[in-house]
Amino acid sequence: RVSRSLGWNDAEGSLAWARTLPQEDQDLVIGQLSAGIASADPKKAAELAAALPPSAASVQAATRVASQWAEKNPEEAIAWAATLDSEKARQDATAAALAQWADRDPEKAAGATGQIADENARRTAREKIAATWAGKSPAEAEKWAASLPEADRYSALASVWNATAADDPGKAAGSLAAALPGAEGIEAATSGLAASASTIATAWVSQNPHAAADWATQLPEGKAREAAMAAVADQWAGTDTMAASTWINQLPQGRARAQGRGQRQVQEVMFHRMLAVG
């Protein structure tokens, strides 16, 4: 608190005081100070943040600086973020700068991601932009995400569906189901789509549990189907245990290995849910 208050009025004095503190406190305070002066002097703030030793505080400082710098000059903020030594700081700072830019001009921010050399930073940034853009124009965000190279396409699409699931779970569910065949065999993609299937199912059950349950059971064999069925069971059991139990008991037995595995998984979820509620 002291560093932020002093920093707005006397950055140099506050910095001199911070450097008299023990190392752990010094890093934290300088990180707070850099964030505090970023809007007035982003280059000075960036210098302070970049000089911090690797830590959670330094990553947080870099992220705040990049976000505030991007309000004035997103290109400079992104270029600075790319120079950071820590991979975590590079990813988070780049994503923060692009998310800030995307809030004002998602199309330009999306176009800038192609210049990010770091693969992980680029993927993280595209996920952030996809989510932000989806809040403004889901159709445009999904179209852009679908046009990305395979390495980033499915994680960006998942971000769009996660961001829109609460408003239109049926649309998100349909888009995810259509994307699954193309993602088959891509481990990173299938894991991300499974997580998104769970998010969509959870959102849809709160609006139309029967529709969500039908969608989950009709998904093709794989992680997404299992995750969706488990999410339906968990969410539905929390609001209507009897209806959820009836759905599980009506699932066909022995049609396929995936069907059996999915049914066992939702039964386990139900069992633990009923234990939790007594």
Side-chain angles (χ1 to χ4, degrees):
R1 295 190 188 117
V2 170
S3 68
R4 285 198 297 269
S5 298
L6 291 176
W8 294 329
N9 300 303
D10 181 8
E12 292 300 331
S14 186
L15 180 60
W17 165 71
R19 285 178 172 151
T20 67
L21 300 173
Q23 188 64 52
E24 183 178 354
D25 293 336
Q26 183 178 145
D27 295 344
L28 178 62
V29 171
I30 292 176
Q32 294 282 3
L33 174 61
S34 65
I37 67 174
S39 58
D41 191 347
K43 292 184 179 180
K44 177 64 176 177
E47 180 185 335
L48 293 176
L52 292 171
S55 67
S58 68
V59 172
Q60 187 177 53
T63 303
R64 290 178 178 176
V65 169
S67 179
Q68 293 190 51
W69 196 347
E71 291 184 10
K72 294 186 175 182
N73 193 320
E75 292 93 338
E76 285 187 357
I78 293 166
W80 168 75
T83 68
L84 295 170
D85 292 332
S86 162
E87 181 180 359
K88 175 66 172 171
R90 273 198 312 276
Q91 289 181 32
D92 288 6
T94 301
L98 282 164
Q100 183 65 248
W101 196 3
D103 195 48
R104 302 195 307 275
D105 193 334
E107 189 170 358
K108 283 188 177 180
T113 61
Q115 302 171 20
I116 303 172
D118 186 287
E119 182 179 338
N120 291 327
R122 184 177 62 248
R123 183 177 300 111
T124 301
R126 283 173 167 169
E127 290 170 6
K128 293 272 190 181
I129 289 173
T132 302
W133 200 347
K136 296 176 175 293
S137 176
E140 289 182 1
E142 186 168 342
K143 182 179 178 181
W144 168 71
S147 72
L148 293 174
E150 185 179 89
D152 298 340
R153 182 186 310 148
Y154 295 103
S155 60
L157 282 170
S159 291
V160 173
W161 300 327
N162 293 345
T164 58
D167 294 328
D168 194 347
K171 173 67 169 59
S175 295
L176 185 145
L180 286 175
E184 188 175 355
I186 306 172
E187 182 61 29
T190 54
S191 296
L193 293 179
S196 186
S198 178
T199 299
I200 293 168
T202 299
W204 204 355
V205 168
S206 65
Q207 299 178 29
N208 190 333
H210 294 282
D214 288 344
W215 168 72
T217 55
Q218 290 169 16
L219 288 174
E221 174 184 349
K223 292 181 179 179
R225 181 179 180 280
E226 293 172 15
M229 290 180 69
V232 169
D234 186 41
Q235 184 72 9
W236 202 357
T239 57
D240 191 339
T241 304
M242 291 303 299
S245 298
T246 299
W247 167 62
I248 291 171
N249 291 331
Q250 289 175 348
L251 290 174
Q253 292 281 0
R255 284 177 49 193
R257 183 176 60 183
Q259 180 70 55
R261 183 168 61 246
Q263 184 166 2
R264 285 195 301 273
Q265 186 171 2
V266 295
Q267 286 171 336
E268 289 172 4
V269 169
M270 283 290 297
F271 176 71
H272 289 295
R273 166 67 75 172
M274 286 188 286
L275 283 180
V277 299

